[in-house]
Amino acid sequence: VPVVAPDHVNFWRLALALPAILISLALVFIGPRLSSRAFQTSIELMMLPILGVNLIVLQISPATLAVLFNMLATMIYAGYFLRRFALGMTLALGIGIALSTLFFEPASSTPHIGAYLVVYIPTFVLMALLLHLQNTETLSALNLARRHAMEDPLTGLGNLRALERQAKKRFTQKSRGKKHGVTALLLIDL
């Protein structure tokens, strides 16, 4: 879009497109092979170049409001997918980037930029925090439902589903040659 990236900044077009393409390809091809913890960490690290892209675009583009609106989508994504610490860091960097529009051209020449920021910054912080809270509560309820589905309500011991899952896990580990102690089955007649 010529307004966002004028013709004389083709270098920035390439510089901004390349990280986006590399991150997307990495998540598509490498992501499914990662553990859930490593995948979560990669998502958190992905936010740094995304915020960097927004910072660079704000320095070269007269379309300040369009870039800030794009950052709103980034903050919604962060609120839904990032853990608490990473979300806090992302919000702090996002607020810093938004406030930088007051001091650097061409963003600072946008009419009424201060008024837009007064509305914009609380909006993206509130949306990110509300989505984070909703996602946390949903995951907590899901984990509780999973736990109840895997245990006997009277004794709190694992039920047949838990036994099948543990047996599958233990026997596939043994078949691969991994050693995790002795696998035993204890049957108690209540």
Side-chain angles (χ1 to χ4, degrees):
V1 179
V3 174
V4 175
D7 289 333
H8 64 283
V9 287
N10 283 324
F11 168 77
W12 291 112
R13 288 180 177 173
L14 294 174
L16 299 178
L18 190 61
I21 292 169
L22 290 177
I23 288 169
S24 300
L25 289 174
L27 284 177
V28 169
F29 293 109
I30 300 171
R33 297 186 186 106
L34 297 174
S35 67
S36 59
R37 186 177 188 92
F39 189 74
Q40 180 69 36
T41 303
S42 67
I43 288 176
E44 291 168 0
L45 290 175
M46 183 180 72
M47 297 309 291
L48 292 174
I50 289 173
L51 289 172
V53 163
N54 287 311
L55 181 62
I56 291 169
V57 172
L58 281 171
Q59 309 312 315
I60 64 171
S61 170
T64 303
L65 297 179
V67 177
L68 289 177
F69 189 73
N70 176 62
M71 281 182 63
L72 181 63
T74 303
M75 294 305 158
I76 290 171
Y77 180 87
Y80 194 77
F81 288 106
L82 298 190
R83 292 176 287 196
R84 185 175 298 147
F85 178 75
L87 175 61
M89 294 301 291
T90 302
L91 285 174
L93 289 170
I95 290 170
I97 291 170
L99 290 175
S100 74
T101 59
L102 295 172
F103 306 105
F104 299 105
E105 288 288 339
S108 61
S109 61
T110 303
H112 312 295
I113 187 64
Y116 285 119
L117 290 178
V118 166
V119 174
Y120 168 76
I121 291 175
T123 300
F124 86 61
V125 170
L126 185 64
M127 290 185 78
L129 292 178
L130 287 176
L131 275 171
H132 181 72
L133 181 62
Q134 177 196 10
N135 192 40
T136 303
E137 289 181 0
T138 302
L139 289 176
S140 177
L142 186 60
N143 288 336
L144 183 64
R146 282 187 186 138
R147 194 176 83 225
H148 286 309
M150 301 295 269
E151 68 182 28
D152 178 64
L154 181 62
T155 62
L157 299 173
N159 60 14
L160 182 60
R161 282 190 203 103
L163 173 66
E164 289 171 347
R165 177 177 280 180
Q166 284 297 318
K168 182 178 179 182
K169 181 178 168 185
R170 295 287 181 163
F171 292 130
T172 55
Q173 286 174 348
K174 280 195 168 192
S175 66
R176 292 181 189 157
K178 295 180 181 176
K179 296 182 180 178
H180 291 278
V182 177
T183 300
L185 175 64
L186 178 65
L187 179 62
I188 302 172
D189 186 356
L190 296 177

